[in-house]
Amino acid sequence: MLDFPRWKVLSIIGLLVALMLLAVPSVLPEKTTESWGSFPHPRVSLGLDLLGGSYLLIEANADELVKTRVEAMREQIINEMRSATPRIAIGDVSTEGGQLSFLVRDVTQLDAARERLNRLTAGVGLTGQRDWDLTFVDATRVVMKPTQAGTAQAIESAMNTATDVVRTRIDKLGTREPTIVRQGTNRIVVQVPGLKDPQELKDLLGKTAKLEFKMVDETPYVPGGIVPPGTQALPYVDGGPGAKILVQRRAILTGDQLLSANQSFKQEDNSPIVNFSFNTDGGRKFARVTQENVGKRFAVVVDDQVISAPRINTQILGGSGYIEGSFTVKSANELAIALSSGKLPITLKVVEERTVGPELGADSIRSGITASIIATVAVILFMFVTYGRFGVYANFAVVINVTIIVGVLAVIGGTLTLPGIAGFVLTIGTAVDANVLINERIREEQRRGRSVLQSVELGYKEASRTIFEANVTHAISALIMLLLGSGPVKGFAVVLLIGIITSVFTAVVFTRMLVVLWLRRRRPATLNI
């Protein structure tokens, strides 16, 4: 029992002091910690229910995704037939009714067309279903319809990507500890603590950021007229209200190969612009396209709007350039963030919005602190009155345990929510459970006539088994809540799980060290416990 070497004592004290120091920045004003500069000062972030902020429920437009898939398959079919050797001649591909249909002009090429089209369709998971149904009507007419399984898989994939893009965009805004989770099949919940005005966030999330470079068709656009085949009329931002411009339907380059984008200023007139650069492959394509189209205009299209349509005066090397238009600094920065974070594969819109004021959070914090203080004082008094010196040791463990939880939360970047405060209060109560078991076991050994050293040694040894077994089941419950829960449940589970680990360490190891040091120094003949 007395075998507690100096290195172990120093290690335990050093570890506890280090963890307690990590909690210091969280209890100091933020202005104070900011003055520390680059010195590490992790803080516990407060959740939406404590700090206040914005809550957004975003819904994806699944119907638009289906149209996008059909349009993308249309381009694939055209390219696939053109690349065939010999080239497979087909009629204009129709996208009416959410399906694709076209004619194979040469009957002898039907088998070759079927083989090529089968390459464009794939199986959905392990179901064996295809993502497109392929049928031949009237011998030479091909009809392709998206299957329900294929559409469901596309929506799931798009929502996963959209969630990652939303998270990236919010992080680039500099907000702290946002909560971004899927809800159902086509919704995303966004909670941003500390964000009082969500309009900037809504504007940013509303941008699909689909960047395309298309060649301009110099044919004058006539409102209500028929556009030439292979072209489309898109809104032209610099052309004034209601202005449109004709561009080629096929994109010569897309934002998928974008490497970076950032807001800057044009040297000539200091107007806001967006600098961009492509990766190696994109840079080569950009150089080739600009070389082949010197003297022609190309359109910079973002979300089906022509931002600018400059003329190519010379070949552009290096894979970089800039986008100019009717930008403000704010709108240019939003576009840069949207482009650099990647395009959204599906259009999102805000269907529910709530702003939580900081007053509610402040009241919750006051209530939580009050409850924690009352719980702590009650536990300290009970332990002192019931177990005397050993109760004081247990009280030290409780205070240190609470401080360590704050430090660990700060290090792992955890967010403290109202349920998390409930976890704190619960941890204060359960933190002394281990010491109650140990102290009662020591009492029991004394009643059996054991010596002081034997009573203490058996008390810690025998009670520790029960403590570890009980806390393992406790930790399993907390782990299940952490893995399967969401939002407030996770906040509670995180604090509870940390509290279980730290309370066992402080109650069993730390208090045993204090008892050993006291026994070495005093060598009491009896215990008053």
Side-chain angles (χ1 to χ4, degrees):
M1 174 65 195
L2 295 178
D3 184 21
F4 223 93
R6 182 181 295 272
W7 68 266
K8 185 180 287 189
V9 174
L10 295 177
S11 298
I12 293 172
I13 294 176
L15 176 62
L16 295 180
V17 169
L19 291 175
M20 292 173 68
L21 288 176
L22 291 173
V24 172
S26 299
V27 298
L28 293 177
E30 196 163 354
K31 291 182 179 179
T32 302
T33 56
E34 287 176 354
S35 64
W36 295 357
S38 59
F39 187 81
H41 50 275
R43 296 180 64 91
V44 174
S45 300
L46 299 181
L48 186 69
D49 50 0
L50 298 180
L51 186 61
S54 298
Y55 169 95
L56 299 177
L57 179 61
I58 307 172
E59 187 175 72
N61 190 336
D63 293 337
E64 185 173 324
L65 177 64
V66 174
K67 294 179 182 177
T68 303
R69 286 189 72 218
V70 171
E71 187 62 33
M73 180 58 76
R74 176 185 179 277
E75 296 296 326
Q76 286 182 283
I77 290 172
I78 294 174
N79 293 334
E80 190 72 19
M81 298 306 167
R82 284 177 178 172
S83 63
T85 305
R87 179 174 176 175
I88 300 175
I90 62 173
D92 191 30
V93 183
S94 171
T95 58
E96 292 183 2
Q99 64 181 19
L100 295 164
S101 65
F102 59 93
L103 289 173
V104 179
R105 299 189 187 279
D106 188 346
V107 178
T108 62
Q109 293 183 313
L110 280 175
D111 289 339
R114 182 194 298 272
E115 182 181 350
R116 294 230 165 214
L117 292 173
N118 283 331
R119 295 178 189 172
L120 300 180
T121 63
V124 180
L126 301 176
T127 63
Q129 299 179 353
R130 309 293 291 181
D131 55 351
W132 291 83
D133 279 333
L134 175 63
T135 56
F136 283 81
V137 182
D138 298 332
T140 58
R141 177 170 292 279
V142 182
V143 178
M144 294 182 67
K145 295 181 180 179
T147 64
Q148 186 175 358
T151 300
Q153 184 187 49
I155 292 175
E156 177 67 20
S157 176
M159 288 301 297
N160 289 335
T161 303
T163 303
D164 293 336
V165 172
V166 167
R167 181 175 290 107
T168 302
R169 291 185 182 181
I170 293 177
D171 289 343
K172 287 181 180 291
L173 277 178
T175 54
R176 295 174 53 190
E177 298 300 329
T179 299
I180 302 156
V181 293
R182 288 274 305 276
Q183 185 181 84
T185 58
N186 66 333
R187 287 186 171 187
I188 303 173
V189 174
V190 177
Q191 297 180 8
V192 186
L195 185 65
K196 305 301 185 297
D197 182 12
Q199 189 58 47
E200 181 182 1
L201 179 61
K202 288 165 57 181
D203 293 341
L204 184 60
L205 298 183
K207 285 184 172 64
T208 308
K210 179 185 178 183
L211 174 65
E212 298 174 302
F213 293 87
K214 298 184 175 184
M215 297 307 300
V216 174
D217 190 313
E218 298 295 349
T219 305
Y221 170 69
V222 180
I226 299 176
V227 299
T231 66
Q232 59 184 158
L234 296 179
Y236 185 28
V237 175
D238 284 348
K244 290 191 175 183
I245 186 174
L246 290 177
V247 299
Q248 296 294 327
R249 184 179 293 273
R250 186 174 66 89
I252 56 177
L253 203 58
T254 67
D256 294 337
Q257 294 163 316
L258 202 66
L259 190 63
S260 64
N262 60 280
Q263 185 269 324
S264 184
F265 296 94
K266 192 175 180 180
Q267 292 183 352
E268 290 78 5
D269 55 9
N270 208 37
S271 59
I273 59 174
V274 177
N275 287 324
F276 65 87
S277 62
F278 289 106
N279 57 23
T280 303
D281 186 40
R284 283 197 297 264
K285 288 183 180 180
F286 194 50
R288 186 182 68 250
V289 167
T290 53
Q291 181 184 26
E292 295 172 352
N293 295 279
V294 172
K296 299 179 181 179
R297 297 168 69 201
F298 75 97
V300 180
V301 184
V302 179
D303 292 348
D304 294 328
Q305 279 192 329
V306 178
I307 301 298
S308 61
R311 192 171 301 277
I312 303 173
N313 297 319
T314 183
Q315 181 184 12
I316 302 176
L317 301 174
S320 61
Y322 63 85
I323 303 172
E324 61 179 339
S326 304
F327 288 130
T328 62
V329 174
K330 180 181 177 182
S331 62
N333 185 58
E334 288 178 354
L335 178 59
I337 291 176
L339 293 178
S340 61
S341 61
K343 73 175 183 180
L344 285 168
I346 192 167
T347 303
L348 302 176
K349 65 176 181 179
V350 177
V351 295
E352 184 181 347
E353 173 188 346
R354 294 201 303 267
T355 301
V356 180
E359 296 81 10
L360 178 61
D363 183 61
S364 299
I365 293 174
R366 284 193 298 270
S367 300
I369 292 175
T370 301
S372 301
I373 291 174
I374 293 174
T376 302
V377 171
V379 167
I380 287 174
L381 289 175
F382 172 81
M383 293 300 292
F384 177 73
V385 171
T386 307
Y387 299 111
R389 174 181 293 275
F390 283 65
V392 173
Y393 294 156
N395 292 335
F396 283 160
V398 170
V399 174
I400 291 174
N401 180 56
V402 172
T403 310
I404 288 176
I405 294 175
V406 175
V408 174
L409 271 177
V411 170
I412 66 174
T415 300
L416 182 62
T417 60
L418 192 57
I421 292 180
F424 258 109
V425 177
L426 180 61
T427 300
I428 292 171
T430 58
V432 296
D433 283 353
N435 290 112
V436 170
L437 289 174
I438 292 169
N439 294 339
E440 289 300 327
R441 184 68 190 210
I442 293 173
R443 279 180 169 177
E444 184 177 340
E445 296 300 329
Q446 278 195 301
R447 286 195 291 268
R448 292 177 178 176
R450 306 278 188 185
S451 67
V452 170
L453 292 182
Q454 288 177 329
S455 297
V456 173
E457 184 173 6
L458 288 174
Y460 272 92
K461 182 179 179 180
E462 298 300 327
S464 293
R465 297 175 184 174
T466 305
I467 292 168
F468 284 117
E469 290 173 359
N471 280 281
V472 164
T473 58
H474 203 180
I476 291 173
S477 301
L479 191 60
I480 292 173
M481 286 191 289
L482 180 63
L483 296 177
L484 302 182
S486 62
V489 176
K490 279 193 174 183
F492 175 79
V494 167
V495 175
L496 188 59
L497 195 58
I498 295 172
I500 291 170
I501 297 171
T502 58
S503 63
V504 170
F505 180 78
T506 55
V508 176
V509 179
F510 176 67
T511 59
R512 178 172 174 265
M513 181 192 73
L514 295 180
V515 171
V516 167
L517 294 177
W518 175 69
L519 290 176
R520 281 179 181 175
R521 187 174 66 255
R522 292 297 179 91
R523 301 283 179 172
T526 58
L527 286 179
N528 183 19
I529 180 172

